[in-house]
Amino acid sequence: MARPNVLFIMADDLNSALSGYGHPQCKTPNLDKLALRGTTFTRAYCQYPLCGPSRASIMSGLYPMTNKVTSNGGVLKIDTPTMPELFRNNGYWTGRCGKIYHMGVPGNIMTGDPGTDHAASWDVTHNVRVMETLTPGKAEDVMLTDSTAIYEEYRKKWKSRGEGGVFTIKHGNHQGSDMVIVEATVPDAELADGYTAGKAIELLRERGTDKKPFFLAVGFVRPHVPFVAPERSFKQYRVEAMKLAEVPEGDLDDMPSAAKQQANASKYKMDENDQRKSLRGYYASVSYMDEQVGRLLDELDALKLRDNTIVVFVSDHGFHLGEHTLWQKQSLMEESVRVPLIMSVPKSVSLPGNRRPTTKSSRVVELIDLYPTLASLAALKPPDGLEGESLVPAIAGDEQGAEDEVALIQVRGGWCLRTSKWAFMRYGKQGATTEFMLYDMEKDSRQLTNLANAPEHQMVLQQFKSMLSKM
Ligand SMILES: [Ca+2]
Ligand SMILES: [Ca+2]
């Protein structure tokens, strides 16, 4: 049998708002179909809940503290090959469509440049250049008043900017974090993910079945803000029906101040209607991205490539939608650090004991595990020093030792250790004033009660403190 292809699909800022993950409102029929043919990891954690560092760690198989990419501007400079580079060094054709390493959204997507890409990873690359925030359609920035007039003004400027002109939007808020919603009225090829899927389909057709095996990475930018999606994606959701996260009175009182930086009251200042509109924008963006995943999977089937292609679907990190009044990312709470992960391994790839892939694994896994996993499935020898471990046994249904698995997540100023039972977080530098959080995820999956100061849990807290100091 020919060596297996890899189709590596990544979404941006997608939490587990997938119908297959039990989400009550968001609809993702295509990802649900992929899940039927693959293994869903229900406890997968990113290494850093921010685009650049998370992506660099996935692609290098190294923790951010090792590869030194701990900000969005960070460029990967390592001695070992990246994941696609390993495939490329071993006779694979490798391609990238859209955002795989960091690109600023919407900035780099509007100018069409490659962000902090890693050139040695790829034979072929396609960046996206579309209007994003300024896409024709009904636009609103729920964090501004009178945003419609502001956007009209910007669209005029965009039109007169001249080819290749740099264009920045400045009105006091940062475009990479404003809740901007655009119900677009343009063809799919003028939307970031529609364009990216179209390019990826062209590449799949070129590859066909008679060439070198491929590693094709397709990076969608939704549901990252701005929430730009076609009208049809928005039609599936009504503002009034959007269910806001329940936040009990006094929920934030037991959280250290560093953990509350993304709180609505201090940062986003959205009223309930703005929040409902944001939820609708997020879910519409997820559904649009899901539709693009469907186009890729249908093309794999049409080209008869499915039987020898490993499909991975993952997001770079999660996203808060109002839990604990938090929004967006860069928090160590569950919604920000947990990601959807679906891996579909075709029959042509044999698993230990000739077993078939399990449909679900609840093992705690980390995104640095993807590199050794894909290397192993393609029978390539990974470089020494990778910090993750192969998920092949978990895909084959082996849950042995699952209770001992630990995920290590960091963010500026904080660390999190996650096991199947506990979530432990430390904010602040060692020796300085530190503040801790400890949640019993079996009894309190919504992380409402911080147990770090509970006398009966001091032993557990101590164990985590000492585990972290050794990492
Ligand atoms: Ca991201
Ligand atoms: Ca609380």
Side-chain angles (χ1 to χ4, degrees), residues 298-341:
D298 288 349
E299 192 63 33
L300 274 189
D301 284 336
L303 294 168
K304 305 207 184 327
L305 287 168
R306 190 64 170 262
D307 291 343
N308 198 31
T309 301
I310 300 160
V311 181
V312 179
F313 176 84
V314 70
S315 169
D316 58 353
H317 51 78
F319 198 86
H320 279 293
L321 292 167
E323 306 83 16
H324 320 282
T325 78
L326 305 178
W327 287 84
Q328 301 214 0
K329 47 209 177 186
Q330 299 193 69
S331 130
L332 292 172
M333 304 298 270
E334 188 77 352
E335 293 83 2
S336 166
V337 297
R338 180 174 167 233
V339 292
L341 171 62

Side-chain angles (χ1 to χ4, degrees), residues 168-362:
T168 50
I169 297 178
K170 273 212 169 81
H171 46 61
N173 284 314
H174 168 47
Q175 277 299 297
S177 67
D178 263 25
M179 300 291 190
V180 175
I181 302 159
V182 184
E183 299 183 36
T185 52
V186 295
D188 278 28
E190 293 175 37
L191 298 174
D193 291 351
Y195 175 89
T196 296
K199 276 288 166 207
I201 286 170
E202 277 176 29
L203 291 176
L204 286 173
R205 287 180 184 160
E206 278 171 25
R207 297 321 301 164
T209 49
D210 57 346
K211 293 186 176 158
K212 283 181 175 182
F214 64 78
F215 182 110
L216 178 60
V218 184
F220 294 125
V221 299
R222 299 283 94 80
H224 194 298
V225 292
F227 301 134
V228 186
E231 287 175 313
R232 65 174 183 279
S233 306
F234 282 91
K235 284 212 177 93
Q236 304 179 52
Y237 305 99
R238 285 187 306 117
V239 176
E240 320 76 72
M242 295 295 101
K243 254 185 84 182
L244 299 177
E246 248 177 77
V247 184
E249 188 80 33
D251 177 23
L252 276 70
D253 295 353
D254 60 358
M255 285 167 65
S257 56
K260 295 189 278 201
Q261 290 179 12
Q262 298 295 108
N264 185 50
S266 57
K267 184 164 180 184
Y268 293 94
K269 301 184 173 66
M270 294 186 283
D271 64 23
E272 288 202 350
N273 198 42
D274 292 338
Q275 294 180 39
R276 285 200 179 85
K277 284 179 178 172
S278 298
L279 289 183
R280 177 175 180 252
Y282 188 81
Y283 299 152
S285 301
V286 174
S287 289
Y288 181 60
M289 183 277 301
D290 172 82
E291 196 186 298
Q292 306 316 305
V293 173
R295 287 175 65 198
L296 298 181
L297 299 179
D298 288 349
E299 192 63 33
L300 274 189
D301 284 336
L303 294 168
K304 305 207 184 327
L305 287 168
R306 190 64 170 262
D307 291 343
N308 198 31
T309 301
I310 300 160
V311 181
V312 179
F313 176 84
V314 70
S315 169
D316 58 353
H317 51 78
F319 198 86
H320 279 293
L321 292 167
E323 306 83 16
H324 320 282
T325 78
L326 305 178
W327 287 84
Q328 301 214 0
K329 47 209 177 186
Q330 299 193 69
S331 130
L332 292 172
M333 304 298 270
E334 188 77 352
E335 293 83 2
S336 166
V337 297
R338 180 174 167 233
V339 292
L341 171 62
I342 304 170
M343 296 192 72
S344 163
V345 178
K347 285 202 188 87
S348 64
V349 177
S350 53
L351 293 174
N354 274 327
R355 277 174 286 179
R356 291 306 306 145
T358 183
T359 52
K360 226 166 223 176
S361 171
S362 58

